[in-house]
Amino acid sequence: MSRMHKKFALMSALLIVVVIGGCNLITGTFVVDLQIEKEEIISQGEFQFFAVDLTKEDTWKEHQDKIKNIDNIGFQLWVENNGNSDVTWEFYADNSSDIFNSVSEIKSKAKNVLIGLVLPANKTTYIDWPTSLIYLNSKEFPTFKDWVENGKFNIYAIGDPVSASIIIDSARVIVTVTAGP
């Protein structure tokens, strides 16, 4: 066997060992997808609230100790505006175990993570994941990523003007995560 063939055979054997037995050496990107149902969303008139717990998702459980980066945070949203005027929505997030009780408390203690989402009057709106990325507040994204990496955070939806005519039918939080050894 020539020297070149021996090197090729050795490299092939090494590659097989890495692929079959060394999967822990590979870094990958994973998607964590958490559905929030209507009954999990609390409406307080001036705002709506839901808690996000990614730690109960199987993909999160499998990779939580190996997270290298939160690559993206987005959502899908099904929401009705039953009012007679358009409402601009903002989402605030925090990682507190407390639930805030007023818009002023939310705005002073939580971070504004999604901005400028306009909900047309008398209409049901669906926002898909790629569209949701447009509304991320890049200024607060690093803090939001840190909270998401811990797996638990709260979301508050506030309309301008404040409106009780907004009803979230359901939401889905979608997080892409890079994990590895």
Side-chain angles (χ1 to χ4, degrees), residues 116-162:
L117 176 60
V118 177
L119 303 173
N122 295 306
K123 186 174 180 184
T124 298
T125 301
Y126 167 68
I127 306 295
D128 62 12
W129 185 78
T131 303
S132 75
L133 300 177
I134 296 167
Y135 300 104
L136 287 173
N137 183 351
S138 59
K139 179 181 158 195
E140 300 296 351
F141 193 68
T143 301
F144 193 31
K145 280 176 56 171
D146 289 343
W147 294 343
V148 171
E149 191 168 334
N150 290 325
K152 295 181 180 182
F153 54 95
N154 300 318
I155 296 290
Y156 298 87
I158 302 170
D160 182 22
V162 173

Side-chain angles (χ1 to χ4, degrees), residues 5-25:
H5 285 118
K6 285 181 184 178
K7 284 184 179 179
F8 180 74
L10 180 61
M11 292 301 289
S12 297
L14 182 59
L15 183 60
I16 289 170
V17 168
V18 168
V19 169
I20 293 173
C23 289
N24 288 334
L25 299 175

Side-chain angles (χ1 to χ4, degrees), residues 63-79:
H63 301 288
Q64 70 183 1
D65 295 331
K66 300 174 190 162
I67 293 175
K68 300 291 183 198
N69 189 45
I70 301 296
D71 301 317
N72 241 326
I73 307 161
F75 63 93
Q76 288 179 320
L77 183 68
W78 294 263
V79 61

Side-chain angles (χ1 to χ4, degrees), residues 5 17 24 40 42 68 70 85 89 92 94 96 104-105 111 117-118 127 140 146 148 161 169 173 175 180:
H5 285 118
V17 168
N24 288 334
E40 297 175 86
I42 300 167
K68 300 291 183 198
I70 301 296
S85 61
W89 245 18
Y92 287 77
D94 83 302
S96 169
S104 61
E105 185 177 22
K111 298 289 184 187
L117 176 60
V118 177
I127 306 295
E140 300 296 351
D146 289 343
V148 171
D169 182 59
V173 177
V175 180

